[in-house]
Amino acid sequence: MPQVRIVARNFMDMVASLPPLKLDKLYENSFICEAILRSLPPLAKKYVLQLLYIDGPVSAKWLEEWVLAEGASKHKVAIDRLIQLRVLTETVERKKEATYLFNPPFQRNLQKHILRGGVSPREPMPSNVTVRLPSTEELDAYAVEQWELFLLHLINSTEVERSMNISSSMMKVFQHGLLSQKDDKEPSRLTESGFQFLLMDTNAQLWYIIREYITNCEEQGVDTADLISFLLELSFHVMGKAYNLNTLSDIQRTIVKDLVDLGLVKLQQGRKESWFIPTKLATNLSISFADTATRKQGFVVVETNFRLYAYSTSKLHCEILRLFARVEYQLPNLIVGAINKESLYKAFLNGITAEQIVSFLQQNAHPRVAEKIPTVPENVTDQIRLWEADLNRVEMTPAHLYDEFPSRDVFEAACDFAREYGGLLWENSKKMRLVVKAEIFTQMKEFLRRQKQ
């Protein structure tokens, strides 16, 4: 069964893929330079800060002297990343060693940002204008709720609130690989990638959605550099503070309204003004993927008898468990189910792999079992993998059987024809029988008709 890899790169990989002119345009914004610095590997950050006030090129050999021999691989990763992002440009002259030069706009604006420090891209609204703002706990709960409603909409669950309206921009993100629809009369269905997406870590899901959202906006004529610039700027706003929507351009206001669906921002309306409030999801956008992948509180306990207990009140958790397990009943704070052959076969046919299921169970293990080794009983993980291997042993191929050929010459000619078209599955020369893939049925029928003439 093929495994679809739907998260090939994170946010900063998209930045690195921009044309040089757009990257240089991005680096005119000091907040973007700071966001790039945050995202770099530790050694790359060290190089940027040490070279920040050095004018002119530096030799590759000189930089290599900054690390011990055992750090050579990390050094190469750091330099490659800086070159990908055009933070450094490499020059190799004939018979001379390579030299690196700081990108002038990046160097100039990062210097300014470090000296100025701690300034927000826009000023928050005064407290005497805004209504009561949500507390940190309320804002976190809002972000989680919005994100779960967003994913429940993807599952197309009956548990989704009817009042939940997804913007057209976000629906296009869903329909680009995660959902499929044959016609307007049929409801949308999860694709193989969609099933795999639901088992991913929340941070990985967010990176994927943001990446697809950027791609969709680009197709609508929005400048990629401007969109990335605003999203990274958003991460420098203070979580929980209110910012006036009138300070944004028309495109930026549209983006903010789309981000409400994801729980990245919350909108509020006052008597005269409207404002948006960034959540933790928004302020983490400029942090590297590895830095955000902190362990979250788990909720799943799997026993050796394949029984599954999920200590959760989340509707989303219940629907995700249904993807590969049989949910037997649900209490207010407990989901009880079982992993069996039938439920797993259904998951495998939907494109979910055994490794993804095992990884999900391990990453979401309840604290009671999270410290155990292994967190999921070995007999359960081994059996999940064995059932997948058992399913993959048989491959179904639509085919047609041909027999009763008028002569051996016609039979051998038919074999040669099917073999030439890549459709020959089986032949029995003694009994003059032939099995051919259904995909060349029309060509085979025409070939045999000509043989009768």
Side-chain angles (χ1 to χ4, degrees), residues 230-250:
F230 176 66
L231 288 170
L232 290 178
E233 267 192 32
L234 189 63
S235 68
F236 286 89
H237 290 65
V238 180
M239 183 186 74
K241 294 289 186 181
Y243 297 90
N244 198 326
L245 281 173
N246 291 332
T247 61
L248 305 179
S249 66
D250 291 340

Side-chain angles (χ1 to χ4, degrees), residues 349-366:
L349 292 174
N350 282 327
I352 301 174
T353 67
E355 288 306 319
Q356 288 171 330
I357 294 171
V358 171
S359 176
F360 176 84
L361 294 173
Q362 291 171 340
Q363 291 175 7
N364 292 278
H366 191 276

Side-chain angles (χ1 to χ4, degrees), residues 417-433:
F417 179 84
R419 191 178 292 109
E420 182 181 347
Y421 272 81
L424 180 63
L425 292 175
W426 175 83
E427 62 177 303
N428 187 319
S429 180
K430 186 177 180 179
K431 295 184 178 180
M432 290 198 298
R433 289 179 178 176

Side-chain angles (χ1 to χ4, degrees), residues 27 37 77 101 135 138 158 249 257 298 347 356 402 431:
Y27 293 157
L37 180 64
V77 169
L101 181 67
S135 66
E138 290 171 335
T158 55
S249 66
K257 291 175 182 176
Q356 288 171 330
Y402 298 88
K431 295 184 178 180

Side-chain angles (χ1 to χ4, degrees), residues 27-37 47-56 87-88 101-119:
Y27 293 157
E28 291 296 340
N29 185 320
S30 60
F31 291 102
I32 306 305
C33 299
E34 171 66 13
I36 296 296
L37 180 64
Y47 289 163
V48 168
L49 294 175
Q50 287 188 262
L51 296 173
L52 189 58
Y53 289 92
I54 296 179
D55 295 325
V87 173
L88 295 181
L101 181 67
F102 238 120
N103 183 314
F106 184 93
Q107 185 178 26
R108 180 176 62 252
N109 287 296
L110 185 58
Q111 287 175 352
K112 289 180 181 178
H113 188 71
I114 288 177
L115 290 175
R116 186 178 60 179
V119 179

Side-chain angles (χ1 to χ4, degrees), residues 101-213:
L101 181 67
F102 238 120
N103 183 314
F106 184 93
Q107 185 178 26
R108 180 176 62 252
N109 287 296
L110 185 58
Q111 287 175 352
K112 289 180 181 178
H113 188 71
I114 288 177
L115 290 175
R116 186 178 60 179
V119 179
S120 175
R122 52 182 54 82
E123 288 297 319
M125 297 180 69
S127 57
N128 61 342
V129 175
T130 59
V131 296
R132 190 188 77 83
L133 298 179
S135 66
T136 302
E137 292 75 18
E138 290 171 335
L139 202 58
D140 287 345
Y142 162 82
V144 170
E145 181 184 12
Q146 285 295 110
W147 182 253
E148 291 199 353
L149 283 173
F150 185 71
L151 295 186
L152 278 170
H153 194 95
L154 174 60
I155 297 174
N156 204 17
S157 166
T158 55
E159 300 292 334
V160 180
E161 299 290 338
R162 293 185 179 273
S163 60
M164 176 65 175
N165 295 316
I166 301 294
S167 68
S168 59
S169 300
M170 288 304 168
M171 281 307 303
K172 287 180 180 177
V173 171
F174 276 158
Q175 291 160 0
H176 190 268
L178 300 182
L179 287 176
S180 64
Q181 189 175 19
K182 292 183 179 179
D183 53 59
D184 295 335
K185 296 180 181 178
E186 292 188 7
S188 300
R189 296 174 59 87
L190 276 170
T191 64
E192 182 175 323
S193 297
F195 280 106
Q196 294 178 10
F197 171 83
L198 289 169
L199 293 188
M200 286 162 41
D201 177 81
T202 300
N203 292 311
Q205 290 173 336
L206 180 59
W207 284 119
Y208 174 80
I209 291 294
I210 290 294
R211 180 170 64 83
E212 290 300 318
Y213 178 73

Side-chain angles (χ1 to χ4, degrees), residues 373-386:
I373 299 176
T375 55
V376 181
E378 285 186 345
N379 70 305
V380 175
T381 57
D382 289 345
Q383 189 61 62
I384 290 173
R385 295 184 178 103
L386 284 171

